[in-house]
Amino acid sequence: MGGVRREPSILHLDLDAFFAAVEQRDKPSLRGRPVVVGGTGGRGVVSTASYEARAFGARSAMPTAEARRLCPPGTAFLGGRFAAYRRTSEVVMALLRELSPLVEPVSIDEAYVDLAAGDHDLSVPGVTALAAELKARIAVATGGVTGSVGIGTSKAVAKIGSELDKPDGLTVVPPGEELAVLHPLPVRALGGVGPATAERLAQIGVKTIGDLHRLSLVDLTSLVGQAHGAGLYRLARADDDRPVVTDREAKSVSAEETFARDLTDPARLAAEIEALATRVGSRLQRSGTSGRTVTLKVRRYDFSTLTRSQTLAHAVDDPRQIAEVAHRLLGAVDRSGGLRLLGVGVSGLSPYAQGDLFAEAAGPAEVVEPVEVVEPAEPVELPADPEPGRAVVAWYPGQDVVHPDLGSGWVWGSGLNRVTVRFEGPRTTPGPVRTLAADDPDLQPADPPDWAP
DNA sequence: TCTGGGGTCCTAGGACCC
DNA sequence: TCTGGGGTCCTAGGACCC
């Protein structure tokens, strides 16, 4: 097997029940209780269930209506506060970037780090100690959110490692032990094996990664396709040299909406198209990109789903142009019986809108610099035995605060004795980040946010 | 009161070109 | 006169991920 690292230098971090954990942190009355975050309407699904809610069977992607049946009275069903999750995520990602410049955020609650790009002892005891300290720092800086860490010689092994000991886990797979760890696990543990692939494999008696290892490359590719088969063949052998990639350019931008009730009225449908095109167009414009292919997504009353797309001669980012194409595409689909969902997307992205030569010559109109982080002079004190969810913290990331001299802002991070606050600056320039004593009497919480029912 | 929203990657057929 | 082959673009759908 070629190209595999010899040292356990890939770290994977997965924050535990992240959205629910942030809610429990911000609202002490929710701690120890089942919490479900997701769509709260009739057609909503669960984004995240706290471990207390999982005990009753609530799971991600489950219809919220089903979670309501499973969970006892007193369970909190929350709609989600994405700004708070994003802020907390940024705090964690910043801690990861202190370990290495090579950080790949996979999603808001998950990231890979290539420790070989930092200055670290990459022995098994070395990376174990590093991960333990990272977990403690995360718990302190986020006010009690925990994460599970896996470390190994590849992304696949690190990711599986982080799954093995959840929540608040730490698993290091020593070099040479990869196959012993992988082979007893079900094939579903591998990234890229979902329900359909698992079912196909089960039909020929392949249940574990060890079973998968015994399959020939020809058998595997004939079963699941060329690219997928070749990928699984290598993963079963722990042969994975994928690099940690810091920033990937987006390939598409889309927005979609499931309606509370199916829509048939042409005027209502047209208005929805306009709204979706506006969301997509403004996001394209904000990121300075545009794309040539406009795609309409339609889900009918019976859940049958189809897409229709059109590729234009020039890239677009203008909501009116996007909507015009989407209207045309919708006109050609059967809407009888009603539509449950509409979506609008733009792909085939390239920088800058079509014909916008002046903008291209001048570069992006306005670049908002990343937040300047002022590190506290003294090292962050870590609790001797951090107890997730129980630590008494006065400040939490994302919390809105006010200061008589510095104005209003929000908490970027907090330690036992200090709090880092980003104060709002003028519209397009980020305000300063200031580190204050945690017991500074001038610093006060702003009005608490409203909570979803 | 079954089944969200935002993405990525792959496959396969037809058009078109050389 | 029996029937190429490779490459790219476009479209549609499906699997998968968080």
Side-chain angles (χ1 to χ4, degrees):
Chain A
M1 79 183 107
V4 172
R5 300 167 188 86
R6 288 158 55 210
E7 292 172 312
S9 56
I10 305 297
L11 181 151
H12 181 258
L13 169 72
D14 195 340
L15 298 172
D16 302 316
F18 180 54
F19 295 173
V22 171
E23 297 300 340
Q24 289 176 319
R25 175 197 70 195
D26 292 354
K27 186 85 166 158
S29 67
L30 297 179
R31 293 178 194 170
R33 284 172 48 194
V35 174
V36 174
V37 180
T40 53
R43 290 175 163 179
V45 301
V46 175
S47 287
T48 311
S50 72
Y51 279 85
E52 297 87 349
R54 292 182 197 189
F56 295 99
R59 292 287 183 277
S60 293
M62 167 184 285
T64 302
E66 190 180 347
R68 286 188 197 276
R69 285 195 293 273
L70 293 170
C71 290
T75 301
F77 288 87
L78 309 174
R81 297 146 52 232
F82 286 87
Y85 308 151
R86 178 139 293 114
R87 291 173 184 181
T88 303
S89 175
E90 282 168 12
V91 169
V92 174
M93 298 298 171
L95 288 177
L96 296 181
R97 288 188 190 99
E98 290 180 15
L99 297 179
S100 163
L102 280 187
V103 174
E104 178 177 338
V106 179
S107 67
I108 196 166
D109 65 349
E110 216 189 300
Y112 291 100
V113 183
D114 189 343
L115 299 173
D119 182 22
H120 300 293
D121 168 11
L122 293 178
S123 68
V124 169
V127 296
T128 305
L130 178 148
E133 191 193 329
L134 171 67
K135 280 159 53 72
R137 286 171 66 97
I138 289 172
V140 169
T142 61
V145 173
T146 64
S148 296
V149 172
I151 299 184
T153 52
S154 69
K155 281 182 160 183
V157 167
K159 165 118 180 153
I160 282 174
S162 72
E163 294 285 329
L164 290 179
D165 185 26
K166 275 171 166 284
D168 201 15
L170 168 49
T171 301
V172 178
V173 179
E177 297 293 309
E178 293 88 354
L179 296 187
V181 171
L182 292 186
H183 281 189
L185 298 174
V187 289
R188 279 301 306 263
L190 287 177
V193 178
T197 304
E199 175 57 30
R200 286 188 161 193
L201 292 170
Q203 285 185 353
I204 59 165
V206 172
K207 298 227 152 101
T208 67
I209 300 175
D211 297 336
L212 194 63
H213 196 176
R214 288 190 279 277
L215 242 46
S216 73
L217 179 59
V218 172
D219 286 347
L220 203 43
T221 52
S222 66
L223 196 66
V224 303
Q226 201 62 47
H228 202 192
L232 292 183
Y233 185 84
R234 293 184 62 182
L235 286 183
R237 287 156 181 74
D239 179 11
D240 172 22
D241 59 1
R242 289 173 296 166
V244 172
V245 178
T246 47
D247 4 62
R248 285 190 298 238
E249 296 292 309
K251 305 221 157 124
S252 66
V253 173
S254 66
E256 64 184 58
E257 185 164 349
T258 295
F259 312 120
R261 298 167 56 181
D262 296 348
L263 255 42
T264 38
D265 176 17
R268 290 284 308 277
L269 290 170
E272 292 292 343
I273 295 265
E274 308 276 341
L276 293 167
T278 298
R279 277 158 63 188
V280 171
S282 53
R283 281 172 55 201
L284 286 169
Q285 287 170 4
R286 237 177 296 145
S287 61
T289 59
S290 56
R292 286 180 54 218
T293 303
V294 176
T295 301
L296 175 78
K297 177 175 173 180
V298 172
R299 178 121 71 210
R300 286 189 270 240
Y301 66 96
D302 62 356
F303 216 76
S304 62
T305 306
L306 56 83
T307 62
R308 292 291 178 267
S309 65
Q310 182 174 0
T311 299
L312 311 169
H314 300 287
V316 292
D317 65 358
D318 173 10
R320 289 166 306 180
Q321 289 180 278
I322 297 167
E324 188 191 323
V325 178
H327 284 310
R328 199 158 56 227
L329 293 169
L330 180 61
V333 312
D334 177 15
R335 284 149 289 163
S336 57
L339 301 187
R340 172 188 182 94
L341 168 149
L342 279 179
V344 170
V346 172
S347 57
L349 300 187
S350 52
Y352 311 118
Q354 135 259 348
D356 208 347
L357 298 175
F358 297 108
E360 185 156 10
E366 210 156 16
V367 177
V368 176
E369 291 300 322
V371 175
E372 174 203 1
V373 178
V374 182
E375 283 300 314
E378 76 280 13
V380 177
E381 276 185 45
L382 302 176
D385 181 17
E387 215 176 338
R390 292 202 162 252
V392 179
V393 284
W395 307 105
Y396 58 82
Q399 184 176 18
D400 291 314
V401 294
V402 289
H403 187 283
D405 303 323
L406 299 168
S408 62
W410 50 271
V411 174
W412 190 85
S414 65
L416 289 186
N417 52 10
R418 51 111 196 167
V419 55
T420 310
V421 179
R422 177 183 161 186
F423 290 95
E424 306 288 1
R427 201 80 181 91
T428 54
T429 54
V433 174
R434 296 288 291 265
T435 300
L436 304 169
D439 58 358
D440 186 332
D442 283 339
L443 190 65
Q444 293 293 326
D447 291 335
D450 287 337
W451 305 97

